Every structure is written in structure tokens, then in C-alpha cells.
Amino acid sequence: MTPEEFRKSGHELIELIAAYRESVGDLPVRSNAKVGEVLDQLPVHAPLSPESPDSIIEDIHEQIIPRMTHWQHPSFYAYFPSNADLSSVLGDLLSSGLGQLGLNWESSPPLTEIEQRMCEWLRHMLGLADSWHGVIQDTASSATLVALLCARERTSGFSQMRGGVRDGPELMVYSSSQAHSSIGKAALLAGFGRQSVRSCAVRRDFSIDTDVLREMLEEDLAAGKKPCAIVACTGTTATTAMDDIESLAQLSREFGCWLHVDGAMAGSAMILPEMRHLWHGIEQADSIVFNPHKWLGVVFDCSVYYVRDSEHLVRVMSTNPSYLQTAADGLAPNYRDWGIPLGRRFRAMKLWWLLRTEGVDNLQARLRRDIANAQWLEEQINDQPHWRLLAPVQLQTLCVAHEPPAMTVAQLDQYTQQWCEAINKSGLAMLTPAMIVDPDTQASRWMVRVSIGALDTTREHVERLWQTMQEYTRNNS
Ligand SMILES: *Cc1c(COP(=O)(O)O)cnc(C)c1O
């Protein structure tokens, strides 16, 4: 494609995206496509001769958009907000358009230095001390893998330089039963093995039970095992539960563990000073991950990983072949040594666009709006008979059940999934049905998760959602 052709199709594509965003609120939120429906539209082989960009744009209108689930829809309450602010979309376009690749500082000085500055800006926004060093990763899953590799190497005295993890006592990893699946996955990939990854019980508010954890640590130590890492959650996936970082830091010190904090979703809330008590003790952690690609508004993917000891990180991750050595080594960070991939995209460009065009004030105002909307819905639910919240509302996620009288537990489970699916199928809103375990009885049951925080979700949308929820449950009240 020539620059002239790019200019023409590029303008059309920008127009397509802008028009899509203007009208996304009129579309059914969830895709009702059948499996294979998109696949069946696509030719089996690549075209032998060129096709016109116009024919691709036509396919986007006809085949793609009508079959999408609309994450940017104001009535999207499923999973978590994955906000793609259009400013960051421009940053993404620029990142690709400039065709930059970071291998070392010299391969693209602005890529490294804007990333450095953006990690600092975010650090200030989160209220973290200057002693933290940040790097952008693709996802929280990768950052957590890096954290556990660093933990493994610190606790084992650099076993990678000897016989690997088998060369010493069994290393143990701990997190709560509510921890994200990426933590167990990272632990397995980092070589800990299933039996060395322990899941700890939670308290009534779904935060890790630090008394039970202490018993686990003592038990393992007595059995000749070596506690290696504790992964704390600031905002669990199911209920946004907040682990007690202060107590976990105390345990980490006592037992010589690395403390990694998974704030993938809720980390964004820490740009609000009034929310920082939720991760009280954070300054004592060894590493933190948070995803600007969720609530904050940077289009996927952009995950920020902070470490206290960047020298240790580089020592674990560094490879230094001669063809990548330059005179700037030691003067500027070589981010290839701060994570797993060698090459890196210009992801910082997306942050740069979002933070400059919005400003911190607007981002704070939007997050406060979402929290207020969640509190409003919380009040409605508490005031209405037969409705119940199954977990404390910490930020913008509500765990909801509608419990008509005289239903058995099994009936209730079926009913909950049924009204949630009915709303999702209607296209009016999208919610997530999920299982929640009662911390007292250990019995699991179905609930409906309402995650508020799409860019365009106003109080009116949340009011309409509450009406819809009542309508779809009316015959059973
Ligand atoms: C979303 C989420 C993750 C995983 O994030 P990815 O960036 O998709 O890997 C991990 N932990 C928590 C608490 C999350 O909310």
C-alpha cells in the first residue's frame, strides 16, 4: 500500500471508527452470533490478486460489526471495563504507523524514554514512592510470570545459574482462593509445580485469611519447604476483594517471601487518593502490576509492572548478545531485560495520548462517577425486597442475586442464570453470570456480576439497567 492509498483508506477507516463509536449505544450489546458464522463468510484461501480496501471496509460493515460483542457500549457491564478511549486509539495508530521497534535504546530512543516518563507519570498518579521502577508489559499475566520468576531466583539464590528449581528445597507460592487464574498459570510456567502452589481460604469479605496463611507458612517451613512468594490481590476478579497488604507484607518479611500485588483491575482506582487505603502497606511490596488497559482507558494492551529492585529484575531477565550491545548500555534502561520478549511495541504512545488529552482531573472524575453509580445501584438493591448483594461493593462491581421466596438452592441457581441470559440475549445490557463460594459454608452458588465503568456509562444507563433487571425478574417477585 502506498502512502497515498493509505491516506485515502485511512481517512475512511477513521470515519468508520468515529461513526461506530457515535452509534454503538444503539446496537445490541452482546453478539448473538453462532460458532463458525464468521468463519463461514471467509474464503478458505488467501486471494491471489489484490482486492480493493473498499471491499474490506464493506466486509467490516456487513460481516464483522454486526457479529461483535460491544465492549465500548454504555450498557456493557460484563467482565470488567476494557475502555478504549479514542485518544489512546490514535496513540495505537501512531505506534504502528511509525513502525518503531524497541530492542535497545538506540533502536528507538523515544520509545524507551517516553515509556520511562509514562511509568513515572503513572507512578505519581498512583501515589507510589519514587523508589519504584516501571516497565510496560503486554498483560498482567506476563507481568505476574515475571514477578514469580524474580521471586524464584531471589529465594533460591539464583538457582537458574545452577541446576534450576530442582536444585534445593521445594519452593512454595501462596495466594487466595479468589486469585485470578493467571497466578496459578504463572506459577506453573515458572516451574513451581501444582503441589507447590497453595490456595488460601478467604474471610467473609473474600480477602485472604492471613491467620490461615500464617499456619500454612509455618506448616511448610516445618516440613522443610521454602516459602517463596505471596501474591496479594488488590481487587479480585469475582468480587473486587482487597487483600490486607500490610499483614501480607509482615508475613512476607517474616518468612522471606517475595510480595507481588495483583492490582490489574483495581489499580486504576489508586489515582483517587481517597481509595488508596484499599492497598495500605503497598510500599512494602516487591512488585505490583496494574492494567491501564482496563478501567483507566488505554486500548488493550498496556499493563504496567513496577518493581522495587530493578537490578534484580535485569539480572534475572538479561541476555546480552554482542549484536545488541551499544554505547548507551548502562545509561538508559534496556527494556528487553525487563520482561520476556526481546522486541517491544511503542505502547507508551497510547498512554501519552490518553494522559495528555484527558488530563488527570478528567480521569479521576470519570472513575468517581463510576463509583458513585455503583453506590447508587447498591442502595436500590438494598432497598428492594428479595434482592441481595453477596459481597461488599468496594469500587464499581456488584455481585447480585434476586431471591424470590420459596425457591430451593438448585432452583435459585437455574433462575439466576436464566434471567441473566435473558437480559444478555435481549441486547439491552450485558452482565456476567458467575459462581461465588460462600466463605462460611464453602457452598458455591450462581450470582450475577454487574461491572460498571464503560467510558460512556452515565447514571441514566445504570437507572435503565436497574429497570431492566427488575422487569426480567418481575414474574417471580
Ligand atoms: C484482568 C485481570 C488479570 C489478567 O489480566 P491480563 O492483562 O488479561 O493478563 C489478572 N488479575 C486480575 C485481578 C484481573 O482483573
Side-chain angles (χ1 to χ4, degrees):
M1 180 173 275
T2 65
E4 190 44 43
E5 288 164 339
F6 174 80
R7 185 174 285 124
K8 181 181 168 294
S9 298
H11 283 304
E12 277 174 50
L13 263 195
I14 296 279
E15 180 49 42
L16 181 154
I17 295 168
Y20 168 70
R21 290 298 188 91
E22 279 166 347
S23 62
V24 65
D26 303 330
L27 302 172
V29 188
R30 192 188 71 180
S31 171
N32 279 324
K34 307 233 169 4
V35 177
E37 207 176 293
V38 180
L39 201 56
D40 288 346
Q41 306 275 331
L42 306 174
V44 175
H45 297 288
L48 292 178
S49 48
E51 293 184 40
S52 77
D54 287 346
S55 69
I56 305 176
I57 290 178
E58 204 178 295
D59 289 349
I60 293 169
H61 282 296
E62 284 171 17
Q63 299 176 10
I64 307 303
I65 292 177
R67 295 191 172 89
M68 296 196 316
T69 290
H70 302 287
W71 285 72
Q72 308 307 316
H73 195 296
S75 297
F76 182 89
Y77 304 102
Y79 316 115
F80 47 81
S82 186
N83 291 326
D85 191 280
L86 286 170
S87 62
S88 72
V89 173
L90 288 179
D92 206 11
L93 177 64
L94 198 61
S95 158
S96 302
L98 298 178
Q100 295 289 286
L101 189 67
L103 299 177
N104 49 34
W105 177 85
E106 197 175 79
S107 70
S108 179
L111 185 150
T112 296
E113 295 187 13
I114 293 180
E115 181 160 340
Q116 262 180 298
R117 192 62 92 209
M118 288 310 102
C119 290
E120 288 167 11
W121 282 8
L122 281 174
R123 188 183 70 208
H124 302 148
M125 288 166 64
L126 299 176
L128 293 171
D130 290 349
S131 47
W132 290 97
H133 306 280
V135 57
I136 301 177
Q137 310 261 352
D138 53 0
T139 61
S141 304
S142 304
T144 294
L145 174 57
V146 169
L148 290 182
L149 292 169
C150 287
R152 186 190 78 192
E153 291 310 300
R154 191 175 79 179
T155 313
S156 67
F158 276 85
S159 66
Q160 68 179 8
M161 295 305 172
R162 304 188 308 271
V165 274
R166 67 194 148 83
D167 191 17
E170 183 181 350
L171 300 176
M172 306 297 293
V173 178
Y174 309 85
S175 63
S176 94
S177 60
Q178 299 295 303
H180 190 267
S181 57
S182 60
I183 291 155
K185 181 169 174 174
L188 296 187
L189 293 176
F192 287 93
R194 177 85 61 197
Q195 65 190 29
S196 311
V197 183
R198 295 195 71 180
S199 164
C200 182
V202 292
R203 298 207 158 104
R204 295 242 54 195
D205 64 356
F206 299 96
S207 69
I208 192 165
D209 189 327
T210 49
D211 295 330
V212 174
L213 180 59
R214 172 178 289 281
E215 285 167 21
M216 279 185 173
L217 288 158
E218 283 168 354
E219 182 185 298
D220 288 344
L221 202 59
K225 300 172 183 177
K226 197 166 172 76
C228 170
I230 298 175
V231 181
C233 302
T234 290
T236 58
T237 309
T239 69
T240 327
M242 304 287 172
D243 288 344
D244 174 358
I245 308 290
E246 179 75 32
S247 301
L248 293 175
Q250 170 67 31
L251 287 174
S252 298
R253 265 196 306 278
E254 240 178 272
F255 289 88
C257 290
W258 181 282
L259 179 59
H260 174 60
V261 177
D262 176 6
M265 165 60 204
S268 294
M270 303 308 160
I271 70 166
L272 306 176
E274 68 271 25
M275 289 298 157
R276 291 185 194 147
H277 65 276
L278 293 172
W279 71 1
H280 176 70
I282 191 69
E283 289 300 332
Q284 302 161 64
D286 292 289
S287 54
I288 307 169
V289 62
F290 119 84
N291 284 350
H293 71 225
K294 284 180 167 168
W295 199 8
L296 197 69
V298 178
V299 63
F300 191 87
D301 52 356
C302 180
S303 182
V304 179
Y305 178 60
Y306 285 105
V307 282
R308 276 231 172 267
D309 186 352
S310 56
E311 274 176 34
H312 177 75
L313 173 63
V314 170
R315 206 172 144 204
V316 175
M317 294 285 152
S318 170
T319 53
N320 204 11
S322 56
Y323 56 86
L324 288 176
Q325 290 169 12
T326 74
D329 291 352
L331 299 174
N334 261 337
Y335 282 130
R336 68 167 187 269
D337 295 336
W338 291 55
I340 294 165
L342 162 60
R344 58 198 302 107
R345 311 207 287 124
F346 206 158
R347 291 196 187 87
M349 191 57 90
K350 301 193 281 192
L351 268 166
W352 204 40
W353 273 82
L354 177 79
L355 299 181
R356 290 185 66 182
T357 60
E358 285 296 299
V360 179
D361 287 348
N362 279 337
L363 295 173
Q364 288 177 326
R366 172 160 60 75
L367 267 53
R368 288 190 177 113
R369 174 201 69 181
D370 297 338
I371 291 170
N373 283 341
Q375 286 167 353
W376 178 85
L377 185 57
E378 178 183 16
E379 283 162 26
Q380 311 311 307
I381 289 173
N382 283 333
D383 283 352
Q384 201 57 232
H386 310 313
W387 285 91
R388 203 152 79 83
L389 289 163
L390 302 181
V393 180
Q394 302 274 13
L395 295 171
Q396 44 60 263
T397 302
L398 297 94
C399 298
V400 183
H402 181 246
E403 301 178 336
M407 269 199 195
T408 65
V409 176
Q411 284 171 329
L412 205 56
D413 273 349
Q414 201 187 8
Y415 167 69
T416 303
Q417 294 173 78
Q418 170 255 313
W419 69 256
C420 185
E421 172 58 21
I423 291 178
N424 289 346
K425 200 168 179 185
S426 77
L428 294 172
M430 187 171 167
L431 310 166
T432 312
M435 300 273 268
I436 190 168
V437 176
D438 185 315
D440 287 338
T441 63
Q442 292 303 308
S444 53
R445 60 173 292 185
W446 283 91
M447 60 151 175
V448 176
R449 245 174 108 269
V450 182
S451 169
I452 297 172
L455 291 172
D456 295 331
T457 307
T458 61
R459 176 64 56 84
E460 248 171 76
H461 293 102
V462 180
E463 285 170 3
R464 223 175 300 152
L465 168 69
W466 177 227
Q467 268 173 16
T468 304
M469 287 164 67
Q470 290 175 293
E471 272 162 32
Y472 277 76
T473 53
R474 180 152 299 147
N475 291 337
N476 287 293
S477 292

